[in-house]
Amino acid sequence: MEHPVTVENLTVAYHQKPVLREVEFSVPKGKLIGIVGPNGAGKSTLIKSILGLIPRASGEVQIFGKPYKQERRRIGYVPQRESVDWDFPTSALDVVLMGRYGHIGWFRRPSSKDKALAMSALEKVGMADYADRQISQLSGGQQQRVFLARALAQDAEIYFMDEPFVGVDAATEKAIIALLTELKHQGKTVLVVHHDLQTVTEYFDWVLLLNIRLIEFGPTEEVFTAENLQKTYGGRLSLLQESGNLSAFKA
């Protein structure tokens, strides 16, 4: 069986300065995977380069053994909330329906089935009562739930999520991780850019430690160690420890 995602020799550069260098890994099916590293490590860049949203200097990406363009319908994506124009005049339901366009085409109207699937996705994230609400009138946590519902409406096999827990309250974070766990149990593969080291062992089956280069990738209990975190964060690790951000970490 082909791996859901295979990355080979991936290098990305901005103004000739590498922000990712020779990254290689293969993702197992049906796992909830955290992408972890310091600010500027290239975590978001990794996702965007896999999805073809930014150019690669070198390297290849395969989705189930095929080029991304051939398999894009099998992928759901939740971008960073700050990258979205929340003032765009559209409702929560319309945003979720955008997740169906890969199935229905951009120039066809959504069917009653598509609308029912979109409403079902909103119900799963607790936002059905806000279907007609303009997205600009939603709170940060509600907006994140709507974008998660859009990804669910895609009925994808692989999900990429860029910092889905940033700016949300504890209840929303709990709801999101429960939904991601449910997707995993359905055999979906989920990759999440994540910044809170305290919850890595609780949330993720596998972890990818990144700092421009791939530091380590594998099952969380094997990879999320003090030694590997030191390699990933360097001197910043002691600052995190002093600030209490690693208080729950057990080496």
Side-chain angles (χ1 to χ4, degrees), residues 8-234:
E8 298 178 349
N9 194 35
L10 177 63
T11 296
V12 177
Y14 292 145
H15 306 295
Q16 299 184 331
K17 179 182 179 182
V19 291
L20 287 175
R21 188 190 294 271
E22 300 174 348
V23 174
E24 294 194 2
F25 60 92
S26 293
V27 171
K29 184 177 185 295
K31 300 295 183 183
L32 185 48
I33 299 165
I35 301 173
V36 175
N39 292 336
K43 302 184 296 296
S44 296
T45 299
L46 176 61
I47 285 183
K48 291 176 182 177
S49 61
I50 289 173
L51 299 178
L53 299 175
I54 57 175
R56 310 169 199 138
S58 66
E60 294 186 5
V61 173
Q62 292 186 331
I63 305 298
F64 291 107
K66 298 179 181 179
Y68 166 76
K69 289 184 178 180
Q70 295 181 24
E71 301 294 313
R72 65 175 63 192
R73 290 186 181 183
R74 302 171 78 173
I75 294 173
Y77 173 49
V78 178
Q80 286 186 1
R81 199 169 61 82
E82 64 188 31
S83 68
V84 177
D85 180 7
W86 295 107
D87 292 325
F88 189 78
T90 189
S91 70
L93 179 60
D94 288 337
V95 170
V96 179
L97 279 170
M98 292 176 189
R100 299 297 304 161
Y101 290 158
H103 298 273
I104 64 180
W106 285 99
F107 302 107
R108 294 176 57 192
R109 295 179 64 85
S111 66
S112 56
K113 177 184 176 182
D114 293 313
K115 292 179 180 178
L117 287 170
M119 281 302 302
S120 176
L122 282 171
E123 288 174 5
K124 286 182 179 179
V125 299
M127 290 295 293
D129 291 342
Y130 297 85
D132 297 325
R133 187 78 60 88
Q134 292 283 337
I135 57 171
S136 61
Q137 298 173 359
L138 301 175
S139 69
Q142 290 171 334
Q143 290 170 344
Q144 193 69 291
R145 287 177 186 239
V146 168
F147 259 65
L148 185 59
R150 184 185 71 166
L152 294 177
Q154 289 179 255
D155 192 24
E157 296 175 55
I158 307 168
Y159 290 91
F160 291 91
M161 304 195 179
D162 197 349
E163 298 273 19
F165 304 116
V166 169
V168 303
D169 56 34
T172 297
E173 180 163 340
K174 184 177 180 180
I176 291 174
I177 196 60
L179 203 54
L180 301 190
T181 302
E182 180 183 337
L183 289 173
K184 178 191 74 171
H185 289 155
Q186 294 172 5
K188 314 288 189 179
T189 303
V190 187
L191 295 93
V192 180
V193 173
H194 191 61
H195 73 284
D196 183 5
L197 297 180
Q198 293 189 58
T199 53
V200 169
T201 56
E202 177 186 355
Y203 287 177
F204 302 110
D205 308 309
W206 281 47
V207 64
L208 187 154
L209 295 175
L210 184 72
N211 192 347
I212 301 178
R213 294 180 181 272
L214 178 66
I215 306 301
E216 196 64 70
F217 178 55
T220 303
E221 65 270 16
E222 298 176 11
V223 168
F224 197 68
T225 65
E227 180 182 0
N228 284 334
L229 285 173
Q230 187 65 48
K231 291 178 182 177
T232 305
Y233 287 87

